[in-house]
Amino acid sequence: MADQIVPLLSLSQAKALVAHLEANEIIAANEIVEQASDISISEGQVFEKVGELTRELHDALVSFQNDTRLIDMAGHDIPDAKLRLNYVIEMTDKAANKTMDAVDNCLPIADKLIADLDAVKPSWQGLMNRELALGDFKKLCHQIDGLIEESSSSAINLRTSLTDILMAQDFQDLTGQMIRRVIDLVQEIELKLVGILTVCSSEENAEIKKETACIDNNIKAEGPIIDAESRDDVVNGQDDVDDLLSSLGF
Amino acid sequence: MKVLIVDDFSTMRRIIKNLLRDLGFTNTFEADDGNTALPMLKDGGFDFVVTDWNMPIMQGIDLLKEIRKDPKLKHLPVLMVTAEAKREQIIEAAQAGVNGYIVKPFTAGTLKEKLDKVFERLG
């Protein structure tokens, strides 16, 4: 099609041109020539632009077809990211439970220690005030002996639990790495999507879609707010909640 | 006092359960969303509900509305413990008849304070 030769001047235009020249109407004749060259230039520009866009579209489609990265992402990386995120939930769950198990183990030890000390205290105070009978003194000695024995095993027990709590925090490092990988993938997908958007849809459409997405979000539950300080539609902590509720008459 | 804790994360349920135990509420039960909670509440015997907002199937706000609609349950005190922090959500919860609203992350002190307030108002 591009090779087909199109006359710059139509037959009727040529005849009119000859007529004008024969009648010595130079201005009218020049107008016909200018008009014809104008049209040919603008048509040429349109063809060029269409050609350019077609080439771009073709290249983009070919590059999408040949982009094995996209296939990799859809078939492997995204399911992999899902697994990773599920693993993060599992790990944080395990860490939280491990920590709470250790705390559950520690609390009764602390309670028993308090109770044992309270039991010894009256006799001990009696001894300090030199008001303790010999029989009671012997009893106190046995009590304290028992307390020492038990405290030392309790302390070892506490130490083990505290170490467990410490060790349970390793999830932060591991889940952090996983989440970082998923963030990288999301960024890559974002770039690819922007590429598809610029080829397939006009900028206006993209803007409109973005806006409607925002409106939808407003009604839905949003989960933890990570940018509370820069937003004025959310509260910033419990004090704000209390203020808001009391302003509503709570 | 029989308390129902509704949250889709078992860790959070356990934290709330432990905190409530320390505050003297030892008779606690758990549900993982509104849809599981509602039949348990309808079976009766519960005196208090602590619920999250964002849960699958039935969200906490819908559970609250269902409770207020039910003639047998409508007087049940409901405390919301949630990460949802938008003003319009807090207003919606207040209008739906919530008895207290705590945003996560929260402290044991906040939970105690809000519980005291809820029961003080109920008399």
Side-chain angles (χ1 to χ4, degrees):
Chain A
M1 200 183 94
D3 293 337
Q4 199 183 342
I5 298 162
V6 181
L8 292 176
L9 204 64
S10 71
L11 190 60
S12 61
Q13 280 175 317
K15 279 178 180 167
L17 179 63
V18 172
H20 284 308
L21 286 174
E22 278 172 353
N24 208 17
E25 293 162 356
I26 307 296
I27 296 171
N30 282 354
E31 264 176 19
I32 290 175
V33 175
E34 276 165 17
Q35 230 179 349
S37 60
D38 267 4
I39 290 167
S40 69
I41 287 170
S42 61
E43 271 184 356
Q45 281 174 333
V46 170
F47 277 123
E48 211 171 281
K49 190 73 192 158
V50 169
E52 206 176 283
L53 284 174
T54 313
R55 223 175 7 257
E56 265 178 25
L57 186 63
H58 178 259
D59 288 349
L61 289 175
V62 168
S63 75
F64 281 136
Q65 265 175 351
N66 294 343
D67 195 347
T68 52
R69 187 65 200 111
L70 266 179
I71 298 163
D72 272 351
M73 283 201 295
H76 174 262
D77 289 9
I78 291 176
D80 181 62
K82 271 197 264 179
L83 286 181
R84 280 176 196 282
L85 290 179
N86 272 325
Y87 191 58
V88 169
I89 297 178
E90 254 172 58
M91 284 195 89
T92 49
D93 184 84
K94 252 188 228 160
N97 279 311
K98 211 194 246 178
T99 307
M100 287 188 284
D101 283 338
V103 171
D104 281 351
N105 185 37
C106 288
L107 285 175
I109 296 174
D111 287 343
K112 184 154 193 321
L113 200 58
I114 295 168
D116 287 349
L117 285 170
D118 280 345
V120 171
K121 214 179 255 172
S123 309
W124 180 256
Q125 259 156 6
L127 176 71
M128 293 302 280
N129 297 335
R130 296 161 190 264
E131 290 165 0
L132 201 67
L134 184 62
D136 286 339
F137 177 69
K138 281 184 179 165
K139 207 174 125 199
L140 177 64
C141 286
H142 284 292
Q143 270 182 317
I144 290 183
D145 192 54
L147 187 63
I148 290 171
E149 273 303 307
E150 212 162 302
S151 299
S152 95
S153 77
S154 295
I156 292 167
N157 218 333
L158 280 176
R159 187 160 227 305
T160 313
S161 290
L162 289 173
T163 313
D164 285 346
I165 291 174
L166 188 74
M167 293 313 291
Q169 310 312 309
D170 65 357
F171 79 93
Q172 216 289 325
D173 175 21
L174 303 170
T175 57
Q177 292 178 44
M178 302 235 166
I179 291 172
R180 201 163 291 144
R181 271 166 168 270
V182 176
I183 291 173
D184 288 345
L185 176 65
V186 170
Q187 269 171 343
E188 204 184 337
I189 293 172
E190 190 188 3
L191 282 179
K192 297 271 179 200
L193 284 178
V194 168
I196 294 172
L197 264 185
T198 36
V199 170
C200 298
S201 91
S202 67
E203 259 173 48
E204 275 171 58
N205 276 347
E207 287 291 318
I208 291 165
K209 274 174 200 154
K210 213 174 178 184
E211 266 174 38
T212 41
C214 281
I215 291 164
D216 277 352
N217 266 345
N218 273 342
I219 320 159
K220 280 184 200 155
E222 198 179 315
I225 307 282
I226 50 174
D227 52 355
E229 270 151 43
S230 60
R231 287 172 58 169
D232 48 10
D233 64 327
V234 298
V235 294
N236 205 346
Q238 188 63 38
D239 287 343
D240 274 5
V241 178
D242 296 347
D243 288 348
L244 179 60
L245 286 176
S246 69
S247 77
L248 293 168
F250 255 70
Chain B
M1 179 170 284
K2 198 169 160 188
V3 183
L4 184 63
I5 302 163
V6 193
D7 199 305
D8 53 337
F9 275 86
S10 66
T11 318
M12 189 45 73
R13 290 202 300 270
R14 192 171 164 186
I15 291 172
I16 294 174
K17 194 184 165 93
N18 283 359
L19 291 174
L20 286 175
R21 192 188 52 209
D22 285 348
L23 295 171
F25 300 91
T26 47
N27 193 15
T28 50
F29 291 80
E30 298 177 32
D32 58 5
D33 88 305
N35 204 39
T36 331
L38 202 57
M40 290 173 79
L41 292 171
K42 282 185 175 166
D43 280 347
F46 282 98
D47 305 291
F48 190 57
V49 179
V50 179
T51 182
D52 184 21
W53 181 309
N54 193 10
M55 293 177 290
I57 311 177
M58 191 197 275
Q59 304 216 333
I61 186 71
D62 297 320
L63 175 65
L64 172 63
K65 287 173 184 169
E66 289 297 321
I67 290 172
R68 292 294 174 254
K69 257 197 274 176
D70 190 303
K72 271 196 225 152
L73 299 176
K74 66 179 179 190
H75 298 299
L76 196 61
V78 176
L79 176 67
M80 209 150 220
V81 180
T82 172
E84 298 303 320
K86 276 185 280 195
R87 288 176 193 279
E88 57 176 19
Q89 288 177 306
I90 298 164
I91 294 167
E92 191 184 352
Q95 283 167 346
V98 80
N99 298 77
Y101 198 106
I102 296 178
V103 282
K104 293 174 189 169
F106 65 102
T107 64
T110 307
L111 183 66
K112 184 181 180 335
E113 185 194 321
K114 299 304 160 200
L115 281 172
D116 287 348
K117 221 171 175 181
V118 168
F119 291 116
E120 185 189 298
R121 251 194 235 113
L122 292 172

